[in-house]
Structures are given as C-alpha cells and as structure tokens.
Amino acid sequence: MEKREYYSLFETTRARGWFIYRVFAIFMFVAICFIWFYRLSNITINGEDGKSWAWLGLFGAELWFGLNWLFSQALRWNLVFRKPFKTRLSQRYEEMNLPGVDIFVCTADPDIEPPITVINTVLSVMAYDYPVEKLSVYLSDDAASDITFYALLEASTFAKHWLPFCKRFKVEPRSPAAYFNTLASTTYPHDHNHAKHLEEIKKLYENMKIRIEDAATLGGVPKETRSKHSGFSLWDSYTSRRDHDTMIQILLHEKDPENSKDVDGFNLPTLVYLAREKRPQHRHNFKAGAMNALIRVSSKISNAKVILNVDCDMYSNSSQSVKDALCFFMDEDKGQEIAFVQFPQSFENVTKNDLYGSALKPVIEVS
Ligand SMILES: O=c1ccn([C@@H]2O[C@H](COP(=O)(O)OP(=O)(O)O[C@H]3O[C@H](CO)[C@@H](O)[C@H](O)[C@H]3O)[C@@H](O)[C@H]2O)c(=O)[nH]1
Ligand SMILES: [Mn+2]
C-alpha cells in the first residue's frame, strides 16, 4: 500500500550556538564548585564573634544561587524552538474535523480578582479564531459570588457585539480592556467605518464596566437586575462561600438558538457558570479541586477532547493560541506523545524599571 507523506504540523529547531553555551555552562559550574569549596574549606567555627556566622550566611547564599543556576540549566542546556504550522493544520483538517476544545477559567475571590478582569479573560478566550461550535467556555467561581455571575451574564451579552467586531477587524489581543489599552499607545484606526464601530463597542464596554463595578461597590446585584434572569435564583438557598450546593448555569448554548447568536446571526461558543459544591467538613483543594469539578461538569455538556486552562488574572494574548496548540496534538507522527502544551506567561503591569525581572522576558524567549 502506498504510504502517505505528511508534512509535520510543527518543527523543532535547535538554538544556534548550543555547543559554545555548553562549554560556557561547564566552566561556570566548575567556577561555582570552586567558590563552594573555598567557602567550606575556610570555615572558622570558633572564630571572632560574628565572623563564622557571616561566613556561614555567605555560604548559604552562594549555595542557594548556585543551585538555582544549576536548575535553570534544565531550560538552557538543550535549547530548542518549536514552530507550529497553522496553515498546514487548516489545509489538512476541514473545520468539521477539528476537535472540540473546552476552556476552563478559574476564579476564587471577587475582591482579589475583580469580576471585570475575569470577564476580560473569558471574552479573550471566547473570541478565539476557531469554529464556535467546537468551543465551550466554563467559568469556575470558587467564591460563588453573585457579582461574578452577574459579570458573566453581562459578558454573554457583550460577546454578541465583541466577537463579530474582533473577527471583522482582526482585533489583537482579544481581551477588550487590553485591546483598548493598546489603542492609547498606537494610532487610532484611520478607516471611518472601523473608527465608528470602535467608538460604539468602546461605549458598550465602558457602560458594562460601570454596571459591574457599581454592583461590586454596592456589595450586591440590584433587585431589578436579579428579577431579569432566573440564574440568580441559585443564590436563594445560598448560605456561605464555604457551604453551598453546586451552582450551574448554562448562559449560552446552541440548543437555545434565540439567545446564543451574535448580532450578525452566527452562533456563539457555549458559556457555562459553575460554582462547585462546598462543605466546611470537606477539603476543596483549591484550583486542582476546581479543575476536577470542571472536568465532571464539562463531560456532561460538551465533553471535548482538548482542555485549555487559564487563570482569571491572565488573558489570552493571541487569537491563534488554540490552533497553535493543536498543531502539536494533531501531528500524525509525534502528536500521540504530547500530553500538554504550555504557553509562556508575559506580564504587563510591572513597575517601570522592572527591578526583579518580573516581565519574565527571558523565559518567553527561551520557551
Ligand atoms: O481555591 C482556589 C484558589 C485558587 N483558584 C484559582 O487558581 C488560579 C491560580 O491561583 P493564584 O492565586 O492566582 O496563583 P498564582 O501563583 O498566581 O498562579 C500560579 O501558580 C498556581 C499554583 O501553583 C498555578 O495553578 C497557576 O496556574 C499559576 O499561574 C487562579 O485563577 C485562582 O482563581 C481557584 O480556582 N480556587
Ligand atoms: Mn495568579
């Protein structure tokens, strides 16, 4: 039988200069060993007051930094770059043959993780460049906060405008807050039609933000708003954050076509709110516990083959991330060996001088 030739969906290339780097790393390690040796062989246990303690302290610090450097070599020793080929993915798989993707967003506290931030994350993943019928977004709310639920409800309405806007004008990044922030630094669109739509969507966003922040300031959702959606009845029997029944609400689903289409008449991804059952006598196991509950719930609703997880204090900064990751999973040759793909984090709101290197720029370059 004729064997079909496939072009791989991703490519792995070794970094240039790897040999020189290894030689440098070995020299560096030998130098570190010399420092440790020097420190240990010159220790004076009964020396002058304080001297031996200072010596030990220095040794502790050098040991710590040395080991830290050693572990970081795991990332650098065999530095490779991986490049996914999304066009090959699209050529090989018709939209209908692409796998379903369930996206889990975790949140745990509406005070530390404001609901407006949470829904920016949710909107950034709802707007992925991927067939909407295959996408389902689940928000796990470990605080079981009615304000977070309200924010998600608002997001489900705003998404009807935001998703078509993103697709029409190829918006990047697709978190509304992050996108509007980039506009301040780059120029506004020149095209009249684009600028008009942008003003409209910005206004919708600002109004939604005010409504959500007002609810947070008031410490609850106004009665009038509550009466408009049956989902708020979940809070009728609610006692406390640590003691409540499971709360599930499907906000958007294709089986409810009237409500789940965007303004252009296209379907929206499935959107689900979940606050898992919690009892004071049972451990909830933080994010891991939330992920377990999400797997159980999603398996009854969309049961997708691929799961994508984001924390609510992050947003997805590329609309292509799902396709990028799928290039690894769907590769005929090596796909079976790959269990997970991790995206590097990139931090934005760090201090100007970034004294501690929190932007993690080197890690992103390395990954
Ligand atoms: O009871 C909890 C506690 C936390 N979370 C969520 O878990 C995520 C991570 O928690 P966070 O406090 O933000 O931890 P970080 O140190 O910022 O996160 C890093 O460290 C975590 C624990 O190692 C990893 O799970 C995260 O993916 C990683 O980004 C957040 O979305 C939280 O909302 C829950 O869902 N339930
Ligand atoms: Mn975090």
Side-chain angles (χ1 to χ4, degrees):
M1 222 170 76
E2 190 192 348
K3 194 172 170 273
R4 281 188 71 177
E5 287 287 332
Y6 285 112
Y7 285 114
S8 183
L9 291 179
F10 70 92
E11 181 186 80
T12 305
T13 46
R14 202 171 212 180
R16 272 187 300 170
W18 62 270
F19 182 73
I20 298 174
Y21 183 78
R22 284 187 183 182
V23 174
F24 161 75
I26 291 167
F27 268 114
M28 190 73 176
F29 183 63
V30 172
I32 291 172
C33 288
F34 274 130
I35 294 176
W36 286 340
F37 180 73
Y38 168 75
R39 205 53 85 185
L40 273 178
S41 55
N42 286 287
I43 256 178
T44 43
I45 298 295
N46 296 319
E48 283 170 44
D49 268 357
K51 193 180 164 198
S52 47
W53 285 113
W55 203 256
L56 272 177
L58 281 171
F59 177 62
E62 282 155 0
L63 195 65
W64 172 252
F65 284 121
L67 287 177
N68 194 10
W69 178 86
L70 196 65
F71 290 138
S72 74
Q73 296 318 302
L75 274 179
R76 298 183 181 273
W77 186 253
N78 192 17
L79 189 54
V80 292
F81 295 96
R82 301 196 199 274
K83 186 174 168 203
F85 298 109
K86 288 184 288 281
T87 37
R88 290 185 191 167
L89 181 80
S90 316
Q91 281 162 2
R92 207 161 309 162
Y93 297 93
E94 306 256 331
E95 291 217 331
M96 50 190 270
N97 292 332
L98 286 170
V101 179
D102 285 346
I103 305 179
F104 298 168
V105 182
C106 299
T107 185
D109 189 324
D111 300 320
I112 303 171
E113 303 161 336
I116 187 72
T117 314
V118 176
I119 62 162
N120 267 290
T121 309
V122 168
L123 287 161
S124 77
V125 295
M126 283 177 81
Y128 272 135
D129 177 18
Y130 200 69
V132 279
E133 290 76 16
K134 309 261 175 186
L135 271 190
S136 305
V137 181
Y138 295 83
L139 175 66
S140 151
D141 178 15
D142 264 351
S145 150
D146 55 346
I147 300 171
T148 303
F149 175 73
Y150 171 55
L152 194 67
L153 190 61
E154 285 278 357
S156 71
T157 309
F158 179 71
K160 293 175 183 173
H161 302 267
W162 179 245
L163 267 60
F165 176 79
C166 287
K167 283 170 193 167
R168 186 173 311 156
F169 299 109
K170 305 217 168 356
V171 166
E172 292 294 345
R174 295 192 173 181
S175 140
Y179 173 64
F180 297 140
N181 268 343
T182 63
L183 291 174
S185 52
T186 56
T187 47
Y188 242 66
H190 293 303
D191 175 55
H192 175 68
N193 184 36
H194 188 171
K196 192 178 125 236
H197 277 89
L198 175 61
E199 280 312 312
E200 281 169 12
I201 199 107
K202 240 180 127 176
K203 208 162 171 199
L204 276 178
Y205 176 78
E206 292 302 332
N207 289 339
M208 169 177 77
K209 187 175 170 193
I210 290 169
R211 286 195 297 276
I212 293 170
E213 288 180 348
D214 279 354
T217 319
L218 288 171
V221 182
K223 258 207 180 113
E224 197 197 321
T225 317
R226 276 173 179 271
S227 61
K228 283 189 195 146
H229 198 278
S230 58
F232 287 105
S233 62
L234 290 171
W235 275 267
D236 291 348
S237 59
Y238 173 82
T239 40
S240 82
R241 193 183 271 208
R242 288 289 330 258
D243 191 7
H244 60 80
D245 295 335
T246 304
M247 297 151 98
I248 299 181
Q249 188 72 39
I250 302 179
L251 294 173
L252 297 172
H253 195 280
E254 60 182 2
K255 284 194 180 146
D256 175 19
E258 255 173 55
N259 183 42
S260 66
K261 295 217 187 311
D262 67 23
V263 287
D264 289 347
F266 292 108
N267 273 339
L268 287 165
T270 299
L271 182 65
V272 180
Y273 173 88
L274 165 72
R276 63 189 160 125
E277 181 186 356
K278 276 198 182 163
R279 301 294 170 209
Q281 65 271 30
H282 294 295
R283 289 194 187 165
H284 61 78
N285 292 319
F286 308 95
K287 181 181 173 184
M291 293 286 284
N292 271 335
L294 281 163
I295 288 173
R296 282 200 298 278
V297 168
S298 65
S299 70
K300 297 285 175 212
I301 300 174
S302 45
N303 201 20
K305 265 190 185 169
V306 180
I307 291 171
L308 190 154
N309 171 233
V310 283
D311 289 357
C312 65
D313 52 4
M314 302 271 154
Y315 63 84
S316 180
N317 59 13
S318 162
S319 64
Q320 301 301 313
S321 300
V322 169
K323 288 188 178 169
D324 278 334
L326 284 182
C327 285
F328 296 96
F329 293 133
M330 308 280 288
D331 185 73
E332 284 78 3
D333 242 8
K334 299 183 215 87
Q336 288 301 322
E337 297 163 17
I338 297 170
F340 72 92
V341 173
Q342 188 172 13
F343 291 91
Q345 296 182 342
S346 165
F347 293 88
E348 272 177 356
N349 51 352
V350 285
T351 57
K352 212 167 134 220
N353 296 327
D354 191 14
L355 205 58
Y356 301 106
S358 316
L360 278 183
K361 296 240 162 68
V363 178
I364 287 159
E365 280 157 23
V366 167
S367 310

